[in-house]
Amino acid sequence: MAHSKIKLPASATIVLLFGFVLLSLQLMSSATQGSSELGEMYSWLLVINTLGSVILLGLVAFNAYSLVRELKKKEAGSRLTTRMVSLFVLLALAPAAIVFYFSVQFLHQGIDSWFNVEIDRAMDDALELSQSSLNQRMTWHIKQTKQMADQLRDKSEALIAMEVGSLWADSGALEIAVFSNQGRVLASSSVNPSDILPHLPDEQIWLQLRQNKEYFAFDPGDNDEMLVRIIVAIEADQSRFLQALFPIPVRVTDLADSIEFAFIRYQEMNFLRDSLKTSFSLILLLVLLLSLLAAIWVAFISIRNIVAPVKELVKGTQAVADGDYQQQLPVMNQDDLGFLVESFNQMTRRIARSRDETRAAGLEVENQRAYLETILANLTAGVISFDAAFYIRTANQAAYRILHIPVSHFVGETLPTLATLHSELADVLNAIQSLLEKADDIWEQRIVFLGPNGRQELLCRGTPLFSQHGARTGAVVVFDDVTDLIQAQKNAAWGEVARRLAHEIKNPLTPIQLSAERLQHKLSKELQDGSAEFLQRGTRTIVQQVEAMKRMVDDFSEYARPSKKQVEKINLVDLIQEVVALYLPSGIVFSTKFASDRVLVEADPVSLRQVLHNLIKNAQEATSTPCRIEIKIAKVSRNNTDYVELGIYDNGNGLNAEQLETIFDPYVTSKAKGTGLGLAIVKKIVEEHGGVIWVDTSYNGGAGFLLQLPVFEFGNFK
Amino acid sequence: MLCLHIAPGKAEAGEYAARIEYADLEHIDDGYDVQAHIDYRLSPTAKEALHKGVRLTWDVSIELRQPGVLWDTIIHKHKLTYSLQFHALLNQYVVQTPFDRSEMFLTLSAAMNFMAAVHDSTPIPAERVTTGTPYLLAVKTQFNREQLPIPLRPVAYLDNQWFLSSAWYTWPIQK
């Protein structure tokens, strides 16, 4: 069974507390007046109220300590609570202290005003008057008693017994008695016949009597009456004493009692003057303390209740500031603060929804961007984007592959800056920069430049980018390396020419040659010696030229014919050494520099041998002085593929800029007898083997060619 | 005389604290009568208050205890209340005895002497006391601050001028 906890609402607790405080203070106030039975409980009420004050002080101190700790921890709402509590305490304490001060002043002055010299003197005089009146009455009764004693002196006990009655009747005393110094009653007479024994003196009276021979004093009688007891010695030897009890008139007694009561009361109040002040001040202080402490404690509770939603709001705001938009605060009350909390909850819900939407949109944009980046990265065309100031923003992988520089590492730089760092690309980069700056619309341009791999031709297309408002925001340049494409187009064209030449020229050559030989055969015997010799020279020339034309046509056919490679793994080093050995007798000085003595490539050995022959012959023919050829083999990596780089350098005249552009074109030759197909065939064979060849423009000692072939195995470095 | 006088079991600290000088049991017809003598000492403040009309009250407590291992068993207890007041008109001191009797004295010492001699007229019944059993007779006098005027009470609890009570004084009694 679940336990149910009965919890009083805060307001009921506060009302009960204040009720208890007020009741306690009222009881103590009533007790102070002394007019009620609560006087007996005064000390307990004082202790209870003091304990209550201490408990309240403890509660207030605990709350204040907690508040200070919260302040040190900079907890939410602590500063607002402190300000409100401080304000409340100030507002409550100031008027309370003023009221307390003036109340105490008024109280002290009021108490002091009860007493003055005139009243003191009047009270003393009144008491003295009463005492004089009583003393006068006593003096008269003493005289009267002594006269009676004189009448009884020297008389026998029997005579005394007879006269006592008449003396009592004449004196008006309540009782007259004669007794010996041993305390034996000799005679007595009383107004009350039932009193057999007179009121004999006690020990103390006897003591005084023996010392002073007489005794007189006021005695309390029965029924709150007052008596005058007078005892005198009858004889000089104190053998017998006469005791007379005289009544004080009731009126006199009442008046004397009244005066005495007033005097005593006044004296007591005068004596208690300081105590009264202290006591009233204490009560006032307790009232003030209890009220103030209770009010401050209740203020702590109330202010904490008020600040609680604000505290929650501050925490919620901090959470929102930290990015937690799931904060939903409890709505405690349907008041203004409750409305504020509800508004906060609505705000966080909307922010969370907006955040989710923004995040989704951002994710979509990111996906799109990643998709575009993937596309760009996998494009064969190089793409470089620029901002409005022509600083590089992005560059794809193809740009690196085409330009051979990691453009993406230079984001934030300009093309001229890039050109200064890579001088071999300065022409193309500056050309693109110039086009970018000038163009207001889409542009397209072919740019030829000498790159690290030789002559390259780029087809560049530029597109300026504009914002919706027409402001220029940047540009995109897309470029493609069309070197191979154009070369292929050229090769195809030249192949077609060769095929047509072979078809159109070679066919008539055989009849021409046969006809010339037949003419020689038939007419040589019929002609004279001179004519026959002329004919023979003529037909020989025809046959020789036809043979030459046949060889030329065969070369063309060879160049145009698709290759028939028989690929096998060959050691390039061995192949080079074989070819070089053939040329050693011709006086060419070879120097080799191989990174390894085992470089396996998958290639047609015949084709590769022709490549080497053509390059060595080319160097030999281009060199007039003693020919020196340097052959180098190195390993390079490009696009995650290992290549063997073969360099062949001569000490000839080198190549000029014009030659560089057409050196690998067919029918281009600087030699008188050359067909111009040597280097074209070399390039064709190299490309058929998946390699590239270009002129090493950095070499200035003659002509240098670099060719790269995919390597199957590259042995250990020497 | 059946009791045995030995030095009191406790001493009281305080300049004006009363002291129980002796106490004993006196055998009477139907029981035992308690007799004791108390030395009351009035501080100057108490004397001044008395002469200004403040009534001073003492409660004399008497207990007959049977000693135990852990605690004593009280087999008889009685309280006697004395009050002392100054009669300004007659210039005498009035002692109100426990038996609703007023005694007037010309001097303060006479009044104090009267109060000092405690004579409990309510005897301890004889059947409560077993022969041969050791007992303790405990006496103390307690100044009753709650009988003072209300404004004086808080001060009386704090000012040693009003510390007029005695501690418990015990005497072993062997019947």
Side-chain angles (χ1 to χ4, degrees):
Chain A
M1 186 176 172
H3 292 281
S4 59
K5 204 172 184 177
I6 299 171
K7 192 177 178 182
L8 281 174
S11 54
T13 310
I14 291 166
V15 168
L16 275 176
L17 175 72
F18 271 104
F20 177 74
V21 169
L22 283 176
L23 176 67
S24 176
L25 290 173
Q26 176 59 37
L27 287 174
M28 201 165 66
S29 174
S30 301
T32 310
Q33 304 301 319
S35 58
S36 67
E37 295 177 355
L38 293 169
E40 294 177 1
M41 298 167 60
Y42 175 79
S43 297
W44 283 113
L45 287 171
L46 194 64
V47 170
I48 288 169
N49 280 293
T50 308
L51 273 177
S53 299
V54 170
I55 291 169
L56 280 173
L57 183 65
L59 286 171
V60 169
F62 176 73
N63 275 282
Y65 174 70
S66 301
L67 191 57
V68 169
R69 284 188 64 184
E70 288 172 11
L71 266 179
K72 281 185 180 174
K73 288 180 182 173
K74 295 183 178 177
E75 284 188 10
S78 58
R79 278 174 293 184
L80 181 61
T81 308
T82 307
R83 286 178 62 183
M84 290 178 75
V85 169
S86 305
L87 191 64
F88 177 83
V89 170
L90 195 65
L91 289 176
L93 198 60
I98 292 169
V99 168
F100 175 73
Y101 174 75
F102 284 104
S103 298
V104 168
Q105 291 294 318
F106 178 74
L107 193 66
H108 288 192
Q109 287 168 5
I111 291 173
D112 286 338
S113 70
W114 297 349
F115 311 96
N116 57 49
V117 178
E118 288 77 14
I119 295 175
D120 282 355
R121 190 179 301 131
M123 295 304 292
D124 288 343
D125 291 349
L127 184 70
E128 194 176 339
L129 185 63
S130 299
Q131 286 174 336
S132 299
S133 170
L134 290 173
N135 288 338
Q136 196 176 11
R137 186 169 289 276
M138 181 175 274
T139 307
W140 165 248
H141 288 310
I142 291 170
K143 185 180 177 184
Q144 197 180 4
T145 307
K146 283 184 177 177
Q147 286 175 351
M148 286 189 288
D150 289 343
Q151 290 178 18
L152 296 174
R153 188 172 298 137
D154 300 328
K155 289 185 178 175
S156 65
E157 291 184 3
L159 199 59
I160 286 172
M162 288 175 61
E163 287 189 11
V164 161
S166 62
L167 286 175
W168 168 77
D170 294 340
S171 66
L174 284 176
E175 180 187 295
I176 286 182
V178 177
F179 47 85
S180 69
N181 58 359
Q182 302 299 320
R184 186 170 59 87
V185 178
L186 302 177
S188 69
S189 183
S190 172
V191 71
N192 191 355
S194 61
D195 291 343
I196 299 169
L197 282 175
H199 293 83
L200 290 175
D202 57 17
E203 288 287 329
Q204 288 193 1
I205 295 174
W206 273 115
L207 192 64
Q208 197 173 346
L209 195 58
R210 287 189 185 103
Q211 283 179 350
N212 303 329
K213 299 178 183 174
E214 59 183 11
Y215 172 85
F216 43 86
F218 293 99
D219 267 8
D222 299 334
N223 305 322
D224 293 334
E225 62 184 351
M226 190 177 282
L227 303 175
V228 178
R229 182 192 293 258
I230 299 168
I231 305 172
V232 295
I234 296 173
E235 275 83 21
D237 60 354
Q238 298 180 30
S239 57
R240 289 181 294 185
F241 291 95
L242 171 65
Q243 173 182 280
L245 294 174
F246 294 96
I248 304 292
V250 176
R251 178 61 182 160
V252 174
T253 306
D254 289 346
L255 287 173
D257 281 347
S258 175
I259 287 169
E260 198 222 2
F261 177 77
F263 177 78
I264 286 295
R265 186 73 183 152
Y266 182 77
Q267 286 286 88
E268 187 182 277
M269 293 297 282
N270 202 0
F271 173 72
L272 296 174
R273 187 195 296 191
D274 291 337
S275 300
L276 268 174
K277 288 178 186 174
T278 308
S279 180
F280 282 125
S281 300
L282 188 67
I283 300 295
L284 264 177
L285 185 65
L286 271 177
V287 169
L288 180 74
L289 268 180
L290 274 172
S291 308
L292 266 181
L293 291 172
I296 291 171
W297 182 53
V298 171
F300 264 110
I301 295 172
S302 305
I303 289 169
R304 281 186 194 281
N305 285 337
I306 292 169
V307 172
V310 179
K311 204 172 175 177
E312 291 294 325
L313 272 175
V314 172
K315 283 183 182 172
T317 310
Q318 284 175 344
V320 169
D322 292 340
D324 180 8
Y325 301 119
Q326 304 300 325
Q327 280 288 325
Q328 290 293 304
L329 305 179
V331 182
M332 296 175 183
N333 297 310
Q334 295 300 327
D335 53 7
D336 291 343
L337 283 172
F339 175 74
L340 193 60
V341 171
E342 182 58 38
S343 300
F344 175 84
N345 288 339
Q346 284 182 5
M347 183 190 74
T348 53
R349 281 197 293 270
R350 286 181 182 172
I351 289 176
R353 195 161 56 239
S354 300
R355 192 249 344 242
D356 292 342
E357 289 171 1
T358 308
R359 190 176 286 170
L363 200 60
E364 182 64 25
V365 168
E366 182 61 26
N367 287 337
Q368 291 290 339
R369 195 187 65 81
Y371 178 67
L372 283 174
E373 273 192 359
T374 307
I375 290 174
L376 280 176
N378 290 288
L379 277 178
T380 54
V383 179
I384 303 175
S385 65
F386 301 88
D387 62 11
F390 306 114
Y391 286 96
I392 297 170
R393 290 184 63 183
T394 57
N396 67 349
Q397 188 66 23
Y400 172 41
R401 198 182 66 247
I402 293 169
L403 297 176
H404 304 286
I405 53 174
V407 186
S408 57
H409 293 178
F410 294 91
V411 170
E413 302 288 345
T414 59
L415 290 180
T417 308
L418 207 56
T420 56
L421 295 171
H422 298 274
S423 55
E424 70 276 14
L425 296 172
D427 292 344
V428 64
L429 295 175
N430 289 330
I432 293 172
Q433 178 72 19
S434 174
L435 288 165
L436 280 173
E437 290 173 358
K438 288 177 185 172
D440 291 328
D441 203 351
I442 297 171
W443 53 267
E444 185 172 321
Q445 181 83 34
R446 281 192 180 185
I447 302 172
V448 179
F449 68 101
L450 282 174
N453 291 349
R455 180 178 175 279
Q456 276 184 274
E457 186 166 348
L458 299 185
L459 177 61
C460 297
R461 291 181 207 87
T463 307
L465 302 175
F466 298 94
S467 68
Q468 291 179 346
H469 307 291
R472 188 161 188 160
T473 58
V476 176
V477 174
V478 181
F479 51 92
D480 232 331
D481 189 353
V482 294
T483 313
D484 293 341
L485 179 65
I486 290 178
Q487 190 62 45
Q489 286 173 350
K490 284 182 181 176
N491 290 344
W494 283 116
E496 182 62 20
V497 169
R499 192 181 62 77
R500 284 179 182 273
L501 276 172
H503 183 263
E504 298 296 335
I505 295 174
K506 194 175 179 182
N507 287 346
L509 287 179
T510 301
I512 290 170
Q513 186 181 3
L514 289 175
S515 298
E517 287 173 351
R518 194 174 296 127
L519 282 173
Q520 169 69 26
H521 181 70
K522 287 204 174 171
L523 293 178
S524 61
K525 295 173 181 175
E526 295 172 3
L527 292 175
Q528 296 298 323
D529 291 340
S531 298
E533 190 178 353
F534 179 76
L535 178 64
Q536 190 176 3
R537 283 203 305 271
T539 54
R540 192 167 55 244
T541 302
I542 289 169
V543 169
Q544 284 176 345
Q545 291 303 316
V546 166
E547 286 293 333
M549 286 185 73
K550 273 187 178 177
R551 283 198 303 276
M552 188 175 71
V553 170
D554 285 343
D555 285 345
F556 287 163
S557 297
E558 179 67 21
Y559 176 74
R561 186 175 64 243
S563 64
K564 292 177 181 174
K565 292 187 293 181
Q566 291 185 341
V567 176
E568 58 184 84
K569 290 188 182 98
I570 55 171
N571 189 349
L572 187 60
V573 175
D574 293 342
L575 186 70
I576 290 169
Q577 286 173 342
E578 283 175 19
V579 174
V580 166
L582 295 176
Y583 287 90
L584 287 176
S586 63
I588 299 174
V589 180
F590 287 96
S591 63
T592 56
K593 190 175 182 181
F594 302 145
S596 172
D597 54 2
R598 179 177 168 80
V599 180
L600 294 182
V601 293
E602 287 183 321
D604 178 19
V606 178
S607 300
L608 269 192
R609 193 173 280 111
Q610 186 177 354
V611 166
L612 291 171
H613 279 301
N614 286 4
L615 288 172
I616 292 170
K617 276 183 185 173
N618 191 64
Q620 188 180 20
E621 290 167 1
T623 308
S624 53
T625 53
C627 182
R628 282 196 297 274
I629 295 176
E630 183 180 6
I631 301 175
K632 294 179 180 174
I633 284 180
K635 183 184 177 184
V636 294
S637 293
R638 185 159 57 87
N639 295 338
N640 297 322
T641 306
D642 289 338
Y643 289 86
V644 56
E645 187 176 80
L646 175 64
I648 297 176
Y649 302 93
D650 61 32
N651 58 342
N653 297 326
L655 301 167
N656 56 36
E658 189 181 348
Q659 286 173 317
L660 283 175
E661 290 187 12
T662 58
I663 190 71
F664 293 110
D665 289 350
Y667 315 117
V668 174
T669 180
S670 58
K671 299 186 287 276
K673 293 182 178 178
T675 58
L677 286 172
L679 288 177
I681 288 170
V682 166
K683 181 175 174 63
K684 182 169 178 282
I685 290 170
V686 169
E687 288 177 352
E688 280 173 355
H689 283 80
V692 291
I693 182 169
W694 70 95
V695 177
D696 187 358
T697 52
S698 61
Y699 178 68
N700 297 319
F705 292 89
L706 279 172
L707 65 89
Q708 290 180 348
L709 288 171
V711 68
F712 179 78
E713 181 185 334
F714 203 97
N716 293 330
F717 288 97
K718 281 184 175 176
Chain B
M1 183 70 73
L2 298 174
C3 62
L4 183 64
H5 286 245
I6 299 182
K10 268 187 185 175
E12 167 65 16
E15 194 177 353
Y16 305 107
R19 289 183 304 180
I20 315 299
E21 291 184 333
Y22 77 88
D24 61 21
L25 291 180
E26 186 179 1
H27 186 257
I28 57 173
D29 297 337
D30 52 351
Y32 298 93
D33 195 4
V34 177
Q35 289 190 341
H37 193 273
I38 301 170
D39 178 20
Y40 290 102
R41 286 179 290 181
L42 289 183
S43 66
T45 304
K47 277 182 188 169
E48 186 188 358
L50 178 68
H51 289 123
K52 295 291 184 181
V54 175
R55 180 196 292 266
L56 308 181
T57 307
W58 284 267
D59 295 321
V60 179
S61 299
I62 299 166
E63 287 182 4
L64 185 64
R65 302 173 184 169
Q66 187 171 4
V69 178
L70 298 176
W71 59 82
D72 298 344
T73 307
I74 298 171
I75 60 173
H76 173 82
K77 67 177 179 180
H78 193 220
K79 189 163 83 175
L80 305 170
T81 301
Y82 291 87
S83 64
L84 176 65
Q85 196 173 14
F86 179 64
H87 201 299
L89 182 66
L90 304 178
N91 205 19
Q92 292 188 36
Y93 297 89
V94 181
V95 175
Q96 190 78 26
T97 68
F99 319 108
D100 292 334
R101 197 157 58 87
S102 295
E103 296 286 344
M104 300 190 77
F105 301 92
L106 288 172
T107 61
L108 177 59
S109 60
M112 297 296 282
N113 280 335
F114 176 77
M115 283 203 321
V118 175
H119 177 78
D120 188 359
S121 63
T122 309
I124 301 171
E127 61 269 18
R128 289 196 185 177
V129 180
T130 310
T131 307
T133 306
Y135 293 100
L136 287 175
L137 179 62
V139 180
K140 81 165 180 177
T141 181
Q142 176 82 34
F143 179 69
N144 195 339
R145 295 181 178 92
E146 291 302 310
Q147 295 298 322
L148 290 172
I150 285 173
L152 206 51
R153 288 180 200 171
V155 181
Y157 281 100
L158 303 172
D159 188 357
N160 68 352
Q161 293 275 323
W162 291 102
F163 290 0
L164 307 177
S165 304
S166 76
W168 279 104
Y169 283 76
T170 56
W171 281 265
I173 304 292
Q174 180 70 52
K175 187 180 172 186

